[in-house]
Amino acid sequence: MSAIPTIAAAARAIAARRLSPVELIRACIGRIEKHQEVLHAFVALDLERAIAAARAAEARILRDGPRGPLDGIPIAHKDIVDVAGLPTTACSRILAGNVATRDAAVVRRWAEAGAISLGKLTTHEFAWGGPSFDLPTPPARNPWNPDHFTAGSSSGTGAAVASGMILGGTGSDTGGSIRGPAALCGLAGIKPTYGLVPRTGVIPLAWSMDHVGPLAWTAEDCALLLQAAAGHDPEDPGSAARPAPDLVSGLGDGVKGLRVGVVRHFHEADVQVSPATRQGIDAAARIFADLGAELRDVTLPPLAEFWAPGMTLLLGEAFAVHGPWLRAQRAAYGEILRERLLLGALVTGEHIIAAQRLRRRLAGEVAAAMREVDLLLTAAAMGEAPRIDAVDPWIGFRTPSLTLPFNLTGQPAMTVCAGLGEGGLPVAIQLAGRPWEDATVLRAAHAYEQARGPLKRPGA
Amino acid sequence: MPAPTEDPFTRAGLPLDAAERTRLGEPARLLEALLARVRDGAGQGEPAVIFVPPAAKRP
């Protein structure tokens, strides 16, 4: 197999019996053998079980046809997501030797849909501290240039999908941990509406802002993965007790008539993104207009107003998660996460409550602005990936985040690749929709990708 | 009753050594600025919804 296909293309080929799940798995394993030593995308491989599953899928599909578009599709899971029988370490010494005894909800759902897991993917320590060079395993590296950062915390998922080791994978997003790696690795990645995908079996970082979602090569692939993961799970108290919406059937309906609000001040005034990122957003706006959408500028509260309560809640909740471990085995953490978490001691109950009050106000202001538009368009990242050895571990404390606002509001937000910048690395746009309108975000992202045209994978 | 300590790290059961205190100096100042913004940003009349009533529909 010369090129790794998208999930949608592979599903069509498998259904038509032009592609064997065994052949597809072997192609992905070939990519792992070629790139893992440099990219460090995986922390645990489960290849024998994957090949056996592919053989079983092949026999079943030949007999009965595929269960659906994920049947026989190679995927993998971030190492904060439990896969029964495999270690869940969060890439931390704290959880050395921890082996999951049951599957996370998202793992079970993707497996029931026929997806085949190749193993566990590198994460920043406990989905927050990185890139760290003092953990049991090294940080993932960017397939577009291994000297550069993947962003995080779903760093291994970004590296593995971009390099064709897998066709899609799980990420988690508390402040941008799906959308950041998707942006810097040239992928699509969606943080769904809060409550759409259960977090059961996923190690928390900050319960009120944690989301689980997919990264994949295209928005269409994200839709297929998200559809299979979505739906209520009573074991997660943050899971919404409502039916999962249809995220797939309207994917090709285009954007004609949609109102797209460009949040220009986010990326032009509140922070300064790279020229290529700005050009990518402007080009995306023109594409949406050409496709029949109505474009207008939208003003939201400044990024800094989201940043302060967002960081307060992230730190306060993470301190509650990690306090017992910090007190018992503080030296076992990597330096970056340990020092970030220690700062949680400065967050008081008064700060948490004030942050929640601000959060409610901000969510109301965004909801009011979105009565006039169906989608928001802005940047997903400041620009191309920096060198991995030049990442400021305190950047999140110095500069407002472009992604964090939508963790606070809980609305769906998605990164899509907008091409390559001057350094030959990806730049990205971010689209956000109203809560529970994930399908609209995916539809717009798909329409944009169709108009933008296909991208070559790194090294292709 | 033990004497209350003014140091939040010690109070949390996580006393810092001198090197940590030095390294965390600037990040702590950055965080304190964010926390001050949060504390001052929520008006007295701002309602808080910390616990959603059980009968309420999500979202």
Side-chain angles (χ1 to χ4, degrees):
Chain A
M1 181 177 290
S2 59
I4 297 296
T6 64
I7 293 174
R12 285 191 295 271
I14 288 171
R17 298 177 183 179
R18 287 185 280 105
L19 176 64
S20 149
V22 176
E23 182 188 355
L24 183 57
I25 283 279
R26 291 204 182 281
C28 289
I29 291 172
R31 295 293 181 112
I32 293 169
E33 289 169 346
K34 185 175 178 186
H35 297 299
Q36 166 66 11
E37 190 174 333
V38 170
L39 299 180
H40 310 303
F42 279 85
V43 290
L45 288 164
D46 195 15
L47 301 185
E48 284 185 22
R49 193 157 59 157
I51 291 169
R55 288 200 181 108
E58 182 177 77
R60 191 185 64 249
I61 291 166
L62 284 172
R63 189 181 64 239
D64 303 329
R67 291 176 183 166
L70 297 189
D71 207 355
I73 300 296
I75 52 90
H77 296 288
K78 182 174 180 175
D79 193 30
I80 61 167
V81 179
D82 280 345
V83 177
L86 291 183
T88 301
T89 71
C91 288
S92 178
R93 284 183 194 83
I94 297 287
L95 292 182
N98 176 54
V99 176
T101 55
R102 59 184 293 219
D103 288 339
V106 63
V107 172
R108 187 179 67 251
R109 289 176 180 185
W110 283 7
E112 286 169 355
I116 298 171
S117 173
L118 287 168
K120 303 295 291 292
L121 298 160
T122 299
T123 171
H124 288 180
E125 188 175 21
F126 281 107
W128 200 25
S132 297
F133 296 87
D134 59 352
L135 301 180
T137 49
R141 289 175 177 264
N142 195 315
W144 295 88
N145 183 336
D147 291 335
H148 287 249
F149 190 35
T150 52
S153 62
S154 308
S155 51
T157 317
V161 174
S163 60
M165 296 177 178
I166 50 174
L167 277 60
T170 43
S172 66
D173 191 318
T174 308
S177 285
I178 288 172
R179 290 162 289 160
L184 268 52
C185 294
L187 307 175
I190 183 165
K191 179 204 79 65
T193 299
Y194 187 85
L196 179 62
V197 177
R199 290 92 41 96
T200 314
V202 180
I203 296 172
L205 174 59
W207 294 279
S208 81
M209 298 198 296
D210 288 342
H211 302 67
V212 171
L215 291 88
W217 189 246
T218 66
E220 182 180 22
D221 287 358
C222 283
L224 297 172
L225 291 165
L226 184 57
Q227 185 73 71
H232 181 55
D233 178 359
E235 287 194 58
D236 175 1
S239 173
R242 55 191 289 170
D246 180 351
L247 304 169
V248 175
S249 64
L251 207 57
D253 289 351
V255 295
K256 190 171 183 179
L258 285 182
R259 300 163 300 169
V260 179
V262 184
V263 197
R264 205 168 289 285
H265 66 88
F266 269 16
H267 56 270
E268 292 185 1
D270 300 347
V271 295
Q272 294 288 335
V273 300
S274 74
T277 300
R278 196 162 160 174
Q279 288 160 16
I281 296 165
D282 292 343
R286 285 194 298 275
I287 285 174
F288 284 128
D290 290 346
L291 293 173
E294 181 189 324
L295 271 290
R296 59 180 74 172
D297 285 355
V298 166
T299 301
L300 298 178
L303 280 177
E305 289 194 22
F306 295 91
W307 180 42
M311 288 298 288
T312 301
L313 293 169
L314 202 169
L315 201 47
E317 294 184 37
F319 193 67
V321 172
H322 287 275
W325 281 324
L326 271 176
R327 290 183 194 95
Q329 40 185 333
R330 174 170 157 181
Y333 284 94
E335 180 179 302
I336 289 177
L337 184 62
R338 178 174 65 245
E339 295 192 344
R340 283 186 196 173
L341 289 171
L342 283 170
L343 290 181
L346 301 177
V347 180
T348 68
E350 182 186 14
H351 294 129
I352 295 289
I353 301 301
Q356 288 288 20
R357 292 159 83 190
L358 286 174
R359 179 185 204 172
R360 179 183 160 87
R361 184 202 298 167
L362 289 163
E365 291 180 22
V366 176
M370 293 204 73
R371 283 196 280 273
E372 307 298 322
V373 294
D374 302 296
L375 288 166
L376 301 173
L377 169 63
T378 185
M382 301 289 281
E384 296 172 62
R387 286 185 59 89
I388 196 168
D389 56 4
V391 177
D392 174 5
W394 298 107
I395 187 71
F397 290 71
R398 294 185 212 285
T399 308
S401 163
L402 286 152
T403 47
L404 184 57
F406 306 120
N407 296 84
L408 271 185
T409 62
Q411 63 199 97
M414 178 161 201
T415 291
V416 190
C417 184
L420 303 182
E422 289 178 355
L425 301 170
V427 294
I429 61 169
Q430 180 176 208
L431 292 166
R434 298 189 197 94
W436 301 102
E437 295 188 7
D438 305 64
T440 306
V441 175
L442 289 160
R443 173 160 61 107
H446 179 63
Y448 165 76
E449 285 180 343
Q450 297 294 300
R452 181 207 61 198
L455 298 172
K456 287 184 178 172
R457 286 185 195 268
Chain B
M1 180 183 288
T5 172
E6 289 295 309
D7 179 57
F9 298 99
T10 303
R11 202 168 53 226
L14 294 161
L16 302 183
D17 62 28
E20 285 174 323
R21 201 167 288 282
T22 301
R23 279 201 305 276
L24 287 177
E26 192 210 354
R29 283 192 292 279
L30 294 169
L31 178 62
E32 293 280 14
L34 288 172
L35 295 174
R37 186 194 284 259
V38 165
R39 193 183 50 227
D40 299 341
Q44 281 298 109
E46 196 85 35
V49 180
I50 307 303
F51 180 68
V52 179
K57 285 184 181 173
R58 291 196 187 95

